[in-house]
Amino acid sequence: MAGGRAHGHAAGLPAVGEPSALEPEPSIVGREAEVRRLARVTGLGADVPSGDALLGADAPRGGVRLAADEVGGGVLLVIGEPGVGKSTLLEDAARRAAHAGHRVLRATGRESERDLAFAGLHQLLRPVLDEADELPERQRLALLGAFGFAEASGEPLLTGLAVLTLLSRLADRTPVVLVVDDAQWIDAASAGVLSFVAWRLDDDPVALLVAVRDGEPLPGFDDAFPAITLEPLDDAFPAITLTPLDDAASRRLLDLRAPELPAGIRDRVLAEAAGNPLALLELAKAAHSRGLEPHDHGPLPVGERLAAGYAAQVAELPEVCRRTLLLLAAADVADPPDAVLALLPDPDDKTWLTLEQAGLVGRAGRQVRFRHPLVRSAVYQSAPFDARAQAHRALADVLGDEPDRRAWHLAAATPYPDAEVSAALERTADQARRRGGYAAAAQALARAAELSPVPGDGTRLLVDAAGLAVLTGRLAWVEELAERIRARTDDPTALAAATLRVGRLTALTRRHNAVFAELIGIAGDPATALDALAAAAVLRFYSGEASHRQEIDRILPRLPDDPMRDWVRMVADPFGGGRGLVPRLPSMIAAARNHPERLTALAVAAWILDEIALAVRTFDEAVRSWRTRGPIPDGLAGVAALAYFEYGRWAQAREVCADIGALAAGKLDHAAACVLATDAMVLAAQGDTVEARALAERALRLVDPLESRSVAVHARRATAAAAAAEGDYESAYEQYRTLFDRGGDPVHYHASYPALPELAAAAARTGRHAEAAEIVERSARALAEGGSARLHALVERSRALLAAPERAERAFLAALEEPALEQRPFEHAQTRLEYAEWLRRRRRIAEARPHLAAAHDVFARLDARPWAERARAELRAAGTDVAVPDPHGLAELSPQQRQIVRLAARGLTNREIGERLFLSPRTVGSHLYRVFPKLGVTTRAQLRDVVDAGGVPRG
């Protein structure tokens, strides 16, 4: 199969008869399974003949049949090296979809526009932008603002929702197929929106086909697939990797396309092409056109030499053809067509015929495109710089109404520092930043720094670029920018800022001790000291390392009084100096309104200090900001999931885990491990022990447990809870015991203590009272002065589980009387159940029943199945029969479906729900259609009663 849109009759080779509208391209050889796969995704049938049945004029018509009952939809990534046939497969799938009446929207990535925010998305949606008038107003403005047609909203996820709604509306009329070729060159902002849409295509007949070069980064998608197979992965977008053709398929392709090649040349072509379809055809074409004989020696061009072959072909063309090709190569696909075409020959000029006959370009109406990206690359790279610069200046001259693209063309034409061009790029960066295009903004600032004639300004621009790059999560890029800062200045403030930018993102990987040392090293610079120490405090929490707190204690008194200094103390030493700062939290939070990063940090501090209600309220506001702004949450944002878990909002905890996990997967190991461990804790409490254990194991594989003690503690706590839910208390105790060292001190200064009651409960069932009691009392002494009310209650609960009968009740009551425990419904219900079990064993059944009933209600609401079953068993033993909840009711819905039901019960429309959850109205309606039978309802009006009866809060 030829890559790069090689069609049925290349110049100089025998042609094969034109295919019918439903036949595969005759050059598609050895890709039968891939053709079927694409047909399924695009909603076409999958009955494709195999082997040689695909070849020649005798191939059956309609090789891939349409199936009326298949509407298609979903995502498929097509991955492979240049020339392996990605474009050909996408062309074939697009042709079939268009023939079937589907709406086909296309975009092709271009290197020159990868730094222009939303350029790729604009190219994809330009044919249907008129439909944007029908979108909800905020969505319409967000979409048009992204393209510069309205004031930018700065809300990239709202832009994503607008695209999702637009596609859903289009799909109401006919299935939609999105085809994105050369996606490795799509700008990051567009790729982010496409990734957002890709995860939400479950219920719309919208197919997204994405072709990307093997090994190239694909922002928003590259972290989604840890491995590529022909079968879908559980945590990945479905993908196929196009490997080189085998020998038999390569020979069939040459039989079809170059049957007259001499045998000796044929063997050389087969050997040197190594199964690359484009190389096979191009080498065969060159050999045929040059009349090579078997005795001719010298290597045939392949790989980069293949591009050089294109360059040689271009060099033989007339000057006007070379100039035309270079303008096309320098132009962006999304440049206004009229502006570009005004610089090119007239449509009937013979130049176009010459270029088409040379097989270098193709035309369809007013659209002109290169036959393959290698052609464009060869044309551009082989031209001297002066010629390229002249082309870019010409394009800049006609793009006065497109300041962003004009700035980039001027930059490409400018080899030396130029203040005017640097300023234009800085303005472009500001526009991109306000639209949420952080990658494009950082790229523009970095180039502006190169062109700035003032060294200090150049350094400032690089520092700003690194700060924006942090929000993309691309650590290697941030490190590269930091190295450029270090190479151009010895200014200590700039160097400290560079280290801080790298440290903020590296903190979300596994290198905690090394990064901590670097951050402490720059804490002496007044301009960055507080920020550096705050980042160091984050690492102190991650690692749990006592020496980190000592370093922070050493430096902190030297710094000026500032709210940030208080925050550092709260996070690094919550049971010491941080405890006395609790009264300041509400005013600090009030002052941080409209600043999501500061709100997140203060919510974290409130959670660490066990001010759970305040933490959750603050996280609610901060999380809303994440979802409209789009950058990766900084620092300890994953704590939000833990706070929601403790507060009894388990579905929301899992949603936050999914949001942050999708952003962090594959590049920020510690951040990914944090949410995996938290998700595992929720699942273990709900009785999904197999999945909980799998997630916990994945979390532990991502980190060094000695450098990420917080993750290790939560993962092992989840593993222990899973074992306890299965009745394996020996294994549970062994896991809980690892949360404390051999002397009984906590492995992590904050994360270990909440597991004390679980340790005690497992110890009581396995006869290890004495060892567990020593750990509990050692913890009680450590928490005597600085511990929170909640931790004191957990110590009392732990004592009660291990105490002799005459002392147990007093400890149970002390725990239950603490109001702080009531704010954590799961912990409070566990305590009530354990006390009720103790009462029933002493035949105080009447006293036990209210505690059992209350505990059961909480467990049922949370879907904590093992605990609910345990409470029901106790109730039956106490003479009270409790109906088992309908297994097909609320408890069996997914977290997202519960959220949809909750919002629908409040009276929100499908569109309003979709805007809240970033789903299309069709997807919302589809979910409700599927859950109605499970809930036993037939109308939306009945949902309120179901929600009330099921204990799912509507607020």
Side-chain angles (χ1 to χ4, degrees):
M1 179 183 63
R5 306 172 186 86
H7 293 289
H9 45 278
L13 289 176
V16 178
E18 290 291 332
S20 77
L22 293 182
E23 281 185 308
E25 291 279 0
S27 56
I28 299 181
V29 176
R31 306 295 193 201
E32 293 84 354
E34 289 84 351
V35 170
R36 292 191 190 97
R37 186 72 173 276
L38 284 159
R40 286 197 296 270
V41 173
T42 54
L44 308 178
D47 184 11
V48 182
S50 61
D52 292 337
L54 283 172
L55 305 178
D58 294 332
R61 297 287 168 180
V64 180
R65 293 203 303 264
L66 298 179
D69 59 339
E70 295 187 88
V71 296
V75 182
L76 185 62
L77 305 173
V78 182
I79 301 165
E81 64 180 15
V84 79
K86 305 181 297 296
S87 299
T88 300
L89 277 176
L90 261 60
E91 289 280 359
D92 183 67
R95 181 172 56 90
R96 295 173 184 287
H99 181 85
H102 298 186
R103 186 63 181 264
V104 179
L105 301 175
R106 308 179 63 159
T108 300
R110 300 285 292 275
E111 285 180 283
S112 57
E113 66 174 25
R114 70 190 305 175
D115 300 327
L116 296 175
F118 298 110
L121 189 66
H122 182 244
Q123 184 190 159
L124 188 73
L125 297 181
R126 184 159 52 184
V128 294
L129 272 185
D130 289 346
E131 304 274 351
D133 292 340
E134 303 301 318
L135 295 175
E137 184 65 8
R138 287 183 68 230
Q139 295 182 32
R140 184 182 70 83
L141 291 175
L143 183 59
L144 296 181
F147 299 147
F149 300 144
E151 184 175 351
S153 69
E155 300 183 9
L157 292 190
L158 188 58
T159 303
L161 180 60
V163 174
L164 187 67
T165 305
L166 176 63
L167 295 175
S168 183
R169 287 175 179 272
L170 292 171
D172 282 337
R173 299 193 288 272
T174 185
V176 176
V177 177
L178 309 176
V179 179
V180 182
D181 202 359
D182 287 323
Q184 71 277 357
W185 291 326
I186 291 289
D187 63 278
S190 296
V193 170
L194 290 174
S195 174
F196 174 91
V197 170
W199 285 108
R200 293 161 174 82
L201 291 180
D202 293 341
D203 301 289
D204 291 288
V206 179
L208 173 59
L209 310 179
V210 180
V212 61
R213 286 189 180 180
D214 193 13
E216 293 279 354
L218 182 56
F221 289 82
D222 54 340
D223 301 315
F225 46 92
I228 304 301
T229 69
L230 275 171
E231 298 302 324
L233 299 174
D234 292 340
D235 297 319
F237 290 117
I240 54 178
T241 293
L242 299 184
T243 56
L245 297 177
D246 61 25
D247 185 66
S250 297
R251 290 180 182 278
R252 291 205 312 273
L253 182 57
L254 283 185
D255 285 342
L256 171 68
R257 300 294 299 277
E260 296 180 357
L261 273 182
I265 294 295
R266 174 190 177 88
D267 289 342
R268 286 177 58 195
V269 168
L270 288 167
E272 295 191 30
N276 183 289
L278 177 63
L280 279 165
L281 296 182
E282 291 299 324
L283 293 175
K285 174 183 174 182
H288 179 83
S289 63
R290 298 175 189 176
L292 291 182
E293 298 294 337
H295 59 266
D296 292 328
H297 296 290
L300 298 172
V302 67
E304 291 183 3
R305 286 174 291 171
L306 184 61
Y310 280 128
Q313 185 180 4
V314 170
E316 297 175 359
L317 295 172
E319 168 63 21
V320 64
C321 292
R322 297 200 303 272
R323 188 169 61 250
T324 298
L325 287 174
L326 185 54
L327 277 167
L328 281 174
D332 295 329
V333 167
D335 282 342
D338 290 341
V340 176
L341 291 174
L343 300 173
L344 301 175
D346 292 334
D348 56 354
D349 192 288
K350 65 180 181 180
T351 299
W352 296 114
L353 180 60
T354 301
L355 293 176
E356 288 182 289
Q357 287 178 338
L360 298 173
V361 301
R363 289 195 298 167
R366 293 171 56 83
Q367 296 296 318
V368 183
R369 64 174 60 185
F370 286 102
R371 289 289 189 187
H372 191 272
L374 286 177
V375 180
R376 177 181 179 271
S377 178
V379 168
Y380 188 81
Q381 297 299 332
S382 64
F385 176 80
D386 288 346
R388 296 202 303 266
Q390 183 179 358
H392 283 295
R393 280 193 292 269
L395 289 163
D397 287 343
V398 300
L399 291 172
D401 294 334
E402 297 282 342
D404 292 349
R405 293 187 174 89
R406 180 177 182 276
W408 277 108
H409 282 300
L410 287 174
T414 306
Y416 305 112
D418 186 304
E420 183 180 344
V421 178
S422 178
L425 284 170
E426 191 171 0
R427 290 191 294 272
T428 289
D430 184 60
Q431 291 288 337
R433 179 189 56 77
R434 287 193 282 116
R435 295 199 301 265
Y438 299 104
Q443 291 280 14
L445 287 176
R447 179 63 175 138
E450 293 175 353
L451 295 176
S452 175
V454 181
D457 285 348
T459 300
R460 170 185 60 81
L461 291 167
L462 277 178
V463 169
D464 291 345
L468 288 168
V470 168
L471 298 177
T472 70
R474 291 158 60 181
L475 177 58
W477 187 19
V478 178
E479 290 175 327
E480 176 197 335
L481 290 169
E483 283 303 313
R484 290 169 60 181
I485 294 168
R486 296 181 186 117
R488 69 181 294 153
T489 185
D490 57 2
D491 176 62
T493 297
L495 295 176
T499 300
L500 177 60
R501 265 79 173 154
V502 174
R504 285 179 60 194
L505 203 51
T506 311
L508 300 177
T509 68
R510 64 178 72 191
R511 306 200 307 266
H512 296 153
N513 290 338
V515 178
F516 183 88
E518 293 174 0
L519 292 170
I520 291 298
I522 64 171
D525 185 275
T528 57
L530 276 172
D531 286 336
L533 216 57
V538 171
L539 288 165
R540 149 71 171 158
F541 184 88
Y542 287 161
S543 69
E545 178 62 51
S547 64
H548 289 179
R549 194 202 73 191
Q550 294 164 5
E551 281 292 306
I552 292 172
D553 288 345
R554 178 179 63 82
I555 297 172
L556 202 57
R558 307 175 192 170
L559 303 183
D561 188 26
D562 185 276
M564 183 66 75
R565 193 173 81 159
D566 292 341
W567 184 87
V568 171
R569 178 66 69 199
M570 294 174 194
V571 172
D573 190 18
F575 307 137
R579 172 56 47 189
L581 299 171
V582 170
R584 299 190 191 181
L585 269 173
S587 61
M588 293 169 70
I589 290 170
R593 302 295 179 202
N594 302 319
H595 296 281
E597 292 86 358
R598 276 191 272 165
L599 278 177
T600 300
L602 290 168
V604 166
W607 175 79
I608 287 177
L609 294 168
D610 276 336
E611 298 296 315
I612 187 67
L614 179 62
V616 166
R617 288 197 301 271
T618 309
F619 271 129
D620 282 345
E621 187 170 347
V623 168
R624 282 194 296 271
S625 296
W626 299 345
R627 287 175 171 163
T628 56
R629 286 175 47 128
I632 288 180
D634 190 19
L636 291 164
V639 166
L642 286 166
Y644 290 138
F645 173 54
E646 292 177 4
Y647 202 58
R649 285 157 58 170
W650 290 5
Q652 195 168 3
R654 298 203 67 200
E655 289 161 14
V656 170
C657 288
D659 286 347
I660 298 177
L663 291 167
K667 54 190 172 184
L668 302 174
D669 287 345
H670 181 88
C674 282
V675 295
L676 285 171
T678 302
D679 211 12
M681 291 172 66
V682 179
L683 291 173
Q686 291 182 323
D688 191 349
T689 58
V690 174
E691 183 65 13
R693 195 174 286 110
L695 292 183
E697 290 172 355
R698 283 175 58 192
L700 289 172
R701 286 197 300 270
L702 287 174
V703 298
D704 178 348
L706 296 180
E707 291 206 31
S708 297
R709 291 182 180 88
S710 60
V711 167
V713 166
H714 290 130
R716 286 170 178 152
R717 190 176 169 190
T719 302
E726 294 170 344
D728 184 0
Y729 293 101
E730 287 284 348
S731 296
Y733 182 80
E734 290 173 4
Q735 289 293 327
Y736 285 128
R737 184 62 184 83
T738 66
L739 309 188
F740 299 85
D741 65 20
R742 295 178 66 179
D745 290 325
V747 166
H748 187 276
Y749 70 98
H750 185 274
S752 291
Y753 287 128
L756 281 171
E758 297 161 332
L759 170 78
R765 289 177 178 264
T766 56
R768 294 181 172 89
H769 292 70
E771 183 181 39
E774 174 55 31
I775 294 173
V776 170
E777 294 308 316
R778 193 177 185 90
S779 298
R781 291 191 294 271
L783 297 169
E785 294 185 8
S788 66
R790 176 244 187 159
L791 289 178
H792 291 312
L794 293 182
V795 166
E796 291 298 331
R797 175 183 159 199
S798 304
R799 285 170 168 164
L801 291 166
L802 297 168
E806 62 273 15
R807 293 194 300 272
E809 185 167 19
R810 182 186 308 167
F812 272 128
L813 292 175
L816 288 170
E817 289 168 1
E818 175 50 60
L821 204 61
E822 296 180 13
Q823 294 182 339
R824 290 170 172 80
F826 186 50
E827 290 179 355
H828 190 245
Q830 287 175 305
T831 309
R832 296 192 77 167
L833 173 60
E834 290 160 350
Y835 178 44
E837 290 173 331
W838 185 89
L839 289 170
R840 193 187 65 77
R841 286 196 297 271
R842 280 146 190 82
R843 302 186 182 279
R844 294 163 60 179
I845 294 175
E847 295 175 70
R849 284 175 182 149
H851 291 289
L852 289 172
H856 176 267
D857 288 347
V858 171
F859 296 143
R861 175 176 68 82
L862 296 175
D863 193 25
R865 291 186 290 276
W867 291 87
E869 290 166 6
R870 182 169 152 187
R872 282 196 297 274
E874 288 291 327
L875 281 166
R876 285 193 293 270
T880 302
D881 191 21
V882 179
V884 177
D886 180 2
H888 299 295
L890 283 168
E892 293 301 309
L893 302 185
S894 70
Q896 185 179 75
Q897 287 174 332
R898 292 184 207 173
Q899 199 170 18
I900 290 171
V901 168
R902 185 168 67 242
L903 294 172
R906 291 172 52 187
L908 274 68
T909 66
N910 287 3
R911 176 181 292 179
E912 291 167 336
I913 295 170
E915 289 193 359
R916 291 262 188 119
L917 304 183
F918 298 103
L919 301 170
S920 73
R922 178 196 291 269
T923 296
V924 174
S926 178
H927 277 301
L928 289 172
Y929 177 80
R930 289 198 293 266
V931 303
F932 271 28
K934 296 180 180 180
L935 299 177
V937 301
T938 57
T939 68
R940 295 171 79 101
Q942 296 172 293
L943 290 178
R944 184 184 182 96
D945 294 335
V946 171
V947 168
D948 286 337
V952 176
R954 290 190 305 275

